[in-house]
Amino acid sequence: MADVVVIGAGAVGCAAALHLKEAAPNLDVVVVEPDYSYARAATGKGTGGVRQLFTRPENIWLSQYTLDAIDDWQTWASVDGAPAPELNWRANGYMFVVGEQDLDSLQANFETQRTNGVPAEWLDSSDLAERYPELVTSDLVAGVLSTRDGWLNPKVFFSVLKAKSEAAGATFVTDRVLDLTHDGTIVRSVSLASGGVITADAVINTAGVHAPELAAKVGMQIPVEPMRRHEHYIETSADVDHLPFVKDVHGLAVHAYRQGISVGLVDFDHPGGEDFTIDPTDYPDRVRPALLERFSGLGELTLRDSWTGLYDQNRFDGNMIIGNWPGHADNFYVACGFSGHGFMHALGVGRGLTELVLHGSYQTFDLSAMGYQRILDGHFYGEEGVR
Ligand SMILES: Cc1cc2nc3c(=O)[nH]c(=O)nc-3n(C[C@H](O)[C@H](O)[C@H](O)COP(=O)(O)OP(=O)(O)OC[C@H]3O[C@@H](n4cnc5c(N)ncnc54)[C@H](O)[C@@H]3O)c2cc1C
C-alpha cells in the first residue's frame, strides 16, 4: 500500500518523488525501478545542457526553475549536511544560429524569450563572426545567445536529486511494473515482475521510453517512441573553452568538454526502437562534415569516444506530455516525450506532477498546454526553428 507509486527512477521520477515528499512529508511515496545502474535509461546518457532558448513559455519556465537550483547549488545540493559535490557547471551560455529561412522563427522565439525574462542577446552575422572567429558564418544571418545558460555534469546533478529524494523519505524498490489494475476511471494498483502488488491512491508514470506501453493499459495513446541519439567526444588542438553551447537548425549540438568538444547531430529521421548500436559511420560521414561546415580552425580533431542513448521522442510535436486524462484515468499521471529536453526540465516537471496529485491543478507554472488533451485534439504545441 502506498499513497503514490512512481514508475521509473530516472531524473523525472526522482524529481516527482522529491517534490511530493517536500510538499507532503507524511505521504508514502514508493518509487519502482528495475535497474539502478540506469544502463538503458536516458538519464545516464544526457549531455547536461540547460537552456532557456525555447518557443513555448512552459519550457522556458521549467529551465529557469532548474537554473535557480544551479544558482543555489551549494545549499540545494547539500544533503544531510554533506558538502555539495562539484557540478562542473559551465555558464558559457547557449547559442542558436540560423540562416535566412529560419530567421522569422528565431525572431519570434527571441521575443517570447525576452518576454519571459531570458537574458537573450540578438547577434547578427557580423557580431557572430567578430565574437566567435571559429564559427563559419557565411550561411548565417543571426544568432541568439542566452547568457544564463550552460551545461553541467548530469551524473552529479542526478546523484544529488536521487539522494535528496531518498533523504526526504521516498522509498525506492527494485522491481518492474508489469500491469495496472483499474476500475472505472481510477487506477487501483500496480503489479510487479516479482509477483507483488502495490495499491495506491495515485500512480505517476515516468518510465521514459516505456511510459507509452504503461499508459496504453488505461487507454492513453501516447505518440512517443525511443529514438537513438549519438554523442561523440573529440579532442581538439584548438582552445574552445570560451564557446557557448552552439546549436543549429540541422540538429548539430556542440559544447566544450574535457580536452575538446562533445558533439551530436540529432537524426530525427532515425526509425524508432530501442537501438543502442553505435553506427561507425555516424561520426565520419555525418557529424564531422557538419562540424567542419560550422566551425573552422578547430585544429586537429581526434575522436576519443562515442556513445548512444535514447530520446523519448514525441513524434507528434516534440514536446513533453504531462498530466492525467480527466474522466478516463483520473489518478494516473504521465510525464514523457521529453525529446531531448527532459534532464533540464525534470525538476519543474516533478513539481508540476506533485501539484496535480496534491491539488488537482497546477499551482505555480501552468503546464496544461502540455497535457494529453492536445494529442487528442491534434493541436501542435512544438518548438519552432532550432529544436
Ligand atoms: C545523448 C543524449 C543527450 C541528451 N542531452 C540532454 C541535454 O543536454 N539536456 C537535457 O535536458 N536532456 C538531454 N537529454 C534527454 C534527457 O536525458 C532525458 O529527457 C531525461 O533523462 C529523461 O528522464 P526520464 O526520467 O523521463 O527517463 P529515463 O531516464 O529513461 O528514466 C526512466 C526510468 O524508468 C524505468 N522504467 C522503464 N520501464 C519501467 C517499468 N515498467 N517499471 C518500472 N520502471 C521502469 C527505466 O529503467 C528508467 O530508469 C539527452 C538524452 C540523450 C540520450
Side-chain angles (χ1 to χ4, degrees), residues 7-13 32-35 38 40-50 94 175-178 206-210 213-214 229-231 245 307-312 335 338-345:
I7 308 174
V12 179
V32 182
E33 166 61 49
D35 178 14
Y38 298 102
R40 301 173 77 86
T43 290
K45 306 291 190 328
T47 46
V50 183
Y94 240 92
D175 219 320
R176 180 183 293 279
V177 172
L178 294 184
T206 51
V209 298
H210 291 280
E213 69 210 34
L214 293 165
R229 158 86 152 83
H230 284 86
E231 187 71 17
F245 198 128
W307 63 96
T308 54
L310 301 175
Y311 273 13
D312 52 332
F338 293 100
S339 311
H341 318 145
F343 200 82
M344 67 183 99
H345 291 162

Side-chain angles (χ1 to χ4, degrees), residues 57-363:
E58 292 82 352
N59 284 333
I60 298 174
W61 307 333
L62 291 169
S63 293
Q64 289 170 339
Y65 186 56
T66 298
L67 287 166
D68 290 346
I70 292 169
D71 285 351
D72 190 32
W73 181 251
Q74 294 308 320
T75 306
W76 191 84
S78 168
V79 182
D80 291 335
E86 177 53 51
L87 183 60
N88 292 320
W89 172 236
R90 298 281 296 272
N92 283 25
Y94 240 92
M95 188 167 74
F96 282 8
V97 292
V98 302
E100 188 68 48
Q101 69 179 30
D102 294 287
L103 188 59
D104 289 349
S105 61
L106 190 78
Q107 178 76 48
N109 290 347
F110 177 66
E111 280 157 24
T112 303
Q113 289 148 10
R114 297 286 298 180
T115 306
N116 284 280
V118 181
E121 209 180 315
W122 185 268
L123 303 171
D124 63 26
S125 60
S126 59
D127 299 327
L128 289 171
E130 194 179 321
R131 209 178 285 195
Y132 305 109
E134 51 281 272
L135 200 64
V136 175
T137 54
S138 47
D139 60 330
L140 298 179
V141 292
V144 166
L145 175 68
S146 175
T147 50
R148 193 188 172 201
D149 303 352
W151 58 99
L152 47 72
N153 182 331
K155 290 191 169 58
V156 173
F157 190 92
F158 177 65
S159 69
V160 169
L161 179 58
K162 181 156 182 288
K164 279 173 76 82
S165 51
E166 282 168 324
T171 304
F172 286 78
V173 300
T174 307
D175 219 320
R176 180 183 293 279
V177 172
L178 294 184
D179 209 350
L180 311 167
T181 55
H182 55 105
D183 63 71
T185 69
I186 301 296
V187 173
R188 300 289 178 197
S189 64
V190 300
S191 323
L192 306 175
S194 62
V197 172
I198 310 176
T199 57
D201 293 334
V203 175
I204 293 179
N205 175 6
T206 51
V209 298
H210 291 280
E213 69 210 34
L214 293 165
K217 294 180 187 296
V218 298
M220 293 173 90
Q221 302 303 318
I222 303 277
V224 169
E225 60 180 10
M227 187 185 87
R228 184 180 69 179
R229 158 86 152 83
H230 284 86
E231 187 71 17
H232 306 282
Y233 164 46
I234 295 146
E235 264 180 23
T236 60
S237 52
D239 179 4
V240 291
D241 274 354
H242 60 290
L243 285 176
F245 198 128
V246 178
K247 287 192 83 165
D248 74 11
V249 284
H250 306 298
L252 185 73
V254 183
H255 68 282
Y257 180 69
R258 296 189 185 166
Q259 313 306 316
I261 55 176
S262 187
V263 57
L265 177 60
V266 185
D267 179 5
F268 290 103
D269 296 327
H270 190 68
E274 283 195 75
D275 176 6
F276 287 95
T277 53
I278 296 175
D279 177 353
T281 67
D282 187 67
Y283 177 67
D285 293 356
R286 294 180 69 247
V287 177
R288 187 183 155 96
L291 183 65
L292 293 177
E293 258 176 45
R294 183 54 55 224
F295 292 93
S296 63
L298 288 181
E300 198 176 325
L301 302 176
T302 311
L303 179 64
R304 289 290 180 210
D305 196 10
S306 300
W307 63 96
T308 54
L310 301 175
Y311 273 13
D312 52 332
Q313 186 66 26
N314 178 347
R315 296 292 192 184
F316 174 63
D317 67 11
N319 263 327
M320 69 169 174
I321 300 166
I322 179 171
N324 59 345
W325 185 19
H328 296 268
D330 289 317
N331 66 338
F332 180 75
Y333 303 86
V334 176
C336 68
F338 293 100
S339 311
H341 318 145
F343 200 82
M344 67 183 99
H345 291 162
L347 267 193
V349 168
R351 183 167 75 168
L353 289 166
T354 293
E355 291 169 355
L356 288 181
V357 170
L358 298 183
H359 304 281
S361 62
Y362 293 112
Q363 306 291 299

